[in-house]
Amino acid sequence: MSLQPTESIWHNGALVPWQQATVHVLAHGLHYGSAVFEGIRAYSTPNGPVIFRLEDHVRRWLQSARIYRIPMPFSAAELEAACCEVVRANGLTNAYLRPIAYRGLGGLSVSPVDTPVEVAIAAIEWGAYLGKDALKHGVDAAFSSWIRPSSQSTPLMAKASGHYLNAQLIADEARRNGYGEGLALNAHGQLSEGAGENVFLVENGVLETPPQSASVLRGVTRDTVMVLARDLGLEVTEETIARERVYVADEVFLTGTAAEITPVRQVDGIALGEQCPGPVTCALQSAFFGLFDGSTPDRHGWLCPVGAESPEASAPDGRAEPRVCASV
Ligand SMILES: Cc1ncc(COP(=O)(O)O)c(C=O)c1O
């Protein structure tokens, strides 16, 4: 899917025209992958556009920066406000936000000492990540010949650009072999995650997902699904999962900001369950997308209204004031 340019991108503290949001060819981040980023979605709702779990995404972004010792030159509040500003400024309602902090032009030594940190936030229109029909009819997945690295070599709790070389190998191998997405095992041969998604299995009505120690990113959507499932009265466990458990699961689905909740139809050519999406996947999709059409109440305070231009925008008297992002 090619990118549709928007009017502006937030770059180092201000909105700049799309064409001017550029990076030097000798930027450290470009050569060594020293960048930390997020993927965040904004959704249209009956009460105006909202950013989903903005605070949690910005928190993870800052944690990724801390793990890689990248000094972030903006506070969480400033970054949250900037995310809202870039959605508003481009007149978007449904959007995918791509915040990134990267080491810029400094030295060329691998050690990043003295490289300045630059920060950008883009918001674009982006449809279903794994294809138009994937949310409805599922994707066919395959285990990759590439494995997820251990956290002893790359700290996978950080969402860092360099980690995505491994993800590219997994995703590209799957697509070249005719699959919608690749699944990875970890260094111990257990289920880890998809190239850009966490994985859930459903067996006998119980949801299972690999723990963080299985070399997975601590996904915000993964957490959302666990909370929504428990709200629906379902049991959820985080467990080490052997590869063959995937083949015998009643349902398998992928979660991610981009992929949302995407059912998996078959893995390595083995059809899963009796129907796709299965009943648990359907119930979770309804609960998740219901957050944006109002049919699921926002019990957990996950929807951050993008707000009006004015930072003073506030609720009418007598109502709890919504968390509206201010302008920076
Ligand atoms: C490797 C990987 N795992 C899992 C996820 C899902 O994370 P989230 O739900 O926070 O988008 C992503 C997407 O960001 C990812 O790239």
Side-chain angles (χ1 to χ4, degrees):
M1 211 183 303
S2 60
L3 284 180
Q4 282 303 316
T6 56
E7 213 171 295
S8 53
I9 288 179
W10 189 92
H11 198 193
N12 297 326
L15 290 171
V16 299
W18 172 277
Q19 296 83 350
Q20 286 173 28
T22 54
V23 178
H24 196 279
V25 293
L26 288 180
H28 195 274
L30 182 61
H31 292 254
Y32 303 123
S34 48
V36 289
F37 68 100
E38 274 301 316
I40 310 178
R41 273 196 195 260
Y43 289 91
S44 166
T45 76
N47 299 319
V50 298
I51 300 185
F52 185 60
R53 300 196 66 169
L54 176 60
E55 223 178 317
D56 298 308
H57 280 286
V58 168
R59 185 180 309 117
R60 185 174 65 185
W61 191 17
L62 293 172
Q63 288 173 348
S64 301
R66 185 196 280 216
I67 291 168
Y68 273 101
R69 300 170 192 268
I70 292 177
M72 185 74 95
F74 298 97
S75 68
E78 288 169 325
L79 296 169
E80 286 177 31
C83 287
C84 292
E85 189 183 3
V86 80
V87 174
R88 276 198 306 264
N90 289 296
L92 297 166
T93 51
N94 283 300
Y96 180 80
L97 284 83
R98 173 48 60 85
I100 187 162
Y102 57 94
R103 291 192 180 274
L105 181 61
L108 257 193
S109 48
V110 172
S111 165
V113 180
D114 291 339
T115 49
V117 174
E118 302 204 29
V119 183
I121 306 172
I124 55 166
E125 283 187 36
W126 214 24
Y129 175 62
L130 294 174
K132 246 189 350 214
D133 292 336
L135 291 172
K136 245 188 174 161
H137 303 299
V139 289
D140 295 342
F143 278 104
S144 177
S145 61
W146 298 99
I147 60 163
R148 271 272 183 257
S150 134
S151 273
Q152 284 170 298
S153 60
T154 44
L156 292 176
M157 199 177 141
K159 191 169 167 63
S161 295
H163 300 180
Y164 282 78
L165 284 173
N166 173 257
Q168 279 176 54
L169 291 169
I170 295 165
D172 185 54
E173 180 182 53
R175 268 146 225 169
R176 276 188 294 101
N177 290 329
Y179 295 98
E181 188 53 304
L183 296 176
L185 300 172
N186 62 21
H188 303 288
Q190 296 144 351
L191 177 64
S192 178
E193 60 181 345
E197 310 85 12
N198 294 114
V199 189
F200 282 82
L201 267 58
V202 183
E203 208 177 328
N204 299 322
V206 176
L207 278 108
E208 293 175 55
T209 193
Q212 205 194 320
S213 56
S215 299
V216 305
L217 180 73
R218 206 155 62 165
V220 173
T221 323
R222 173 182 182 272
D223 179 70
T224 301
V225 161
M226 292 200 284
V227 172
L228 290 175
R230 288 180 179 131
D231 286 352
L232 291 171
L234 296 165
E235 192 184 329
V236 186
T237 63
E238 291 179 69
E239 285 190 32
T240 297
I241 298 174
R243 173 178 184 155
E244 60 271 29
R245 290 275 324 283
V246 177
Y247 299 140
V248 299
D250 300 327
E251 300 175 41
V252 174
F253 60 86
L254 305 171
T255 64
T257 298
E260 299 169 307
I261 300 176
T262 299
V264 177
R265 214 166 22 213
Q266 46 174 267
V267 177
D268 292 344
I270 300 178
L272 305 170
E274 288 176 4
Q275 66 191 76
C276 182
V280 173
T281 311
C282 280
L284 288 163
Q285 283 184 328
S286 297
F288 177 73
F289 290 110
L291 287 162
F292 313 116
D293 66 18
S295 56
T296 302
D298 179 24
R299 250 185 240 144
H300 306 284
W302 287 335
L303 308 187
C304 175
V306 165
E309 284 299 337
S310 156
E312 276 77 50
S314 60
D317 287 349
R319 272 203 289 123
E321 196 163 314
R323 241 186 103 259
V324 175
C325 303
S327 301
V328 261

